[in-house]
């Protein structure tokens, strides 16, 4: 696992945008398209806005969601709301190339299966994402792979549902889907992430994030998040 430490959240967002743009150019040149899974959060929205200014072959880019809250369309809790605001209107990404998790459906189990089929149509069977962008919670969660939830044990599906976590159920990509990705990009900012970033670096599988594969993974962290990385 490669770890790059940058000054602050803005620097992390800008570097993440550069990494994604380079991966997009390489994937489109090699395979004709770039499939990226995006997680939510303040720094990721900055990252996507920065990405709009990068050299990206947008016609070949497809954005899928790493996770989403079960909430109505347009709800500020929805990652999709911010994802669209951050990209559409700033970049020439075809709107239909943002593939939303269908969390408004009445039958959420069927909706999860439907999204798994969407991933297969985009990225093969089984689907292989070109890049999975992940964050790190102060409790060690990533995507919506949250502590003490049965979703952590799902090994036979690429998309699954959680129980209630921070007042919302979630739909999330599972370990099999994320660990199949060609590249993992961690974006970690804020002093509240210090302990979990150290545990992630150390490969601590007691936290959900520690079960994401380390090969072809790069962590972009700001100085507050990385403050204790040099300690024994």
């Amino acid at each position: 696992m490669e770890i790059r430490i940058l000054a602050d959240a803005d620097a992390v967002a800008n570097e993440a945008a550069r990494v994604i743009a380079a991966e997009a150019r390489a994937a489109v040149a090699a395979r004709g398209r770039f499939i990226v899974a995006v997680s939510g959060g303040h720094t990721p929205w900055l990252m996507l806005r920065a990405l709009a200014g990068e050299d990206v072959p947008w016609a070949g880019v497809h954005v899928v969601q790493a996770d989403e809250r079960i909430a109505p369309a347009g709800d500020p809790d929805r990652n999709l709301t911010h994802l669209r605001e951050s990209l559409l209107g700033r970049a020439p990404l075809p709107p239909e190339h943002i593939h939303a998790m269908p969390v408004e459906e009445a039958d959420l189990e069927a909706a999860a299966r439907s999204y798994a089929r969407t991933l297969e149509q985009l990225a093969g069977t089984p689907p292989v994402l070109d890049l999975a962008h992940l964050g790190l919670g102060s409790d060690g969660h990533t995507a919506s792979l949250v502590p003490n939830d049965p979703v952590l044990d799902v090994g036979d599906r690429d998309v699954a549902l959680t129980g209630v976590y921070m007042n919302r159920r979630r739909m999330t990509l599972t370990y099999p889907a994320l660990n199949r990705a060609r590249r993992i990009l961690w974006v970690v900012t804020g002093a509240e992430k210090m302990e979990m970033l150290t545990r992630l670096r150390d490969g601590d599988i007691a936290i959900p994030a520690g079960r994401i594969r380390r090969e072809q993974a790069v962590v972009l962290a700001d100085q507050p998040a990385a403050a204790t990385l040099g300690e024994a």
Side-chain angles (χ1 to χ4, degrees):
M1 177 182 286
E2 177 189 357
I3 299 178
R4 303 179 199 167
I5 301 171
L6 298 109
D8 54 27
D10 285 343
V12 168
N14 290 331
E15 179 65 13
R18 286 190 286 270
V19 169
I20 294 172
E23 293 287 333
R25 292 191 297 269
V28 170
R31 294 178 293 278
R33 59 172 49 183
F34 175 64
I35 316 298
V36 56
V38 176
S39 300
H42 176 68
T43 303
W45 308 144
L46 297 176
M47 172 190 80
L48 292 176
R49 291 170 189 169
L51 183 63
E54 294 287 329
D55 177 17
V56 176
W58 290 107
V61 172
H62 290 262
V63 179
V64 301
Q65 292 189 270
D67 65 322
E68 181 60 285
R69 295 171 180 86
I70 309 301
D75 191 293
D77 277 355
R78 289 280 298 274
N79 288 337
L80 180 68
T81 304
H82 302 284
L83 197 163
R84 285 176 168 160
E85 288 174 354
S86 299
L87 271 184
L88 299 181
R90 291 183 170 88
L93 175 70
E96 65 273 16
H97 285 197
I98 293 180
H99 302 274
M101 284 183 159
V103 296
E104 299 153 42
E105 299 295 325
D107 187 338
L108 289 171
E109 293 288 353
R113 292 192 295 271
S114 173
Y115 202 66
R117 289 192 294 272
T118 295
L119 295 180
E120 290 180 350
Q121 291 163 5
L122 289 169
T125 305
V128 178
L129 302 169
D130 291 301
L131 185 145
H133 154 256
L134 295 172
L136 177 65
S138 57
D139 61 357
H141 84 269
T142 191
S144 282
L145 299 169
V146 300
N148 305 312
D149 193 286
V151 75
L152 299 179
D153 298 321
V154 174
D156 60 350
R157 286 164 284 156
D158 286 341
V159 185
L161 297 161
T162 73
V164 175
Y165 173 75
M166 297 182 67
N167 303 316
R168 298 277 193 190
R169 293 190 72 196
R170 318 288 180 103
M171 186 178 291
T172 186
L173 300 186
T174 60
Y175 286 118
L178 294 170
N179 284 333
R180 220 181 283 126
R182 292 184 173 92
R183 185 83 157 154
I184 304 288
L185 175 64
W186 294 92
V187 171
V188 184
T189 59
E192 71 278 8
K193 310 294 179 63
M194 276 191 297
E195 176 190 353
M196 291 302 161
L197 181 55
T198 299
R199 292 175 69 176
L200 176 67
R201 180 210 48 196
D202 293 344
D204 184 352
I205 62 171
I207 62 171
R211 292 167 58 184
I212 298 293
R213 73 179 179 89
R214 302 168 67 80
E215 298 81 9
Q216 295 300 311
V218 59
V219 178
L220 304 180
D222 67 358
Q223 290 182 346
T228 59
L229 285 185
E231 298 177 3

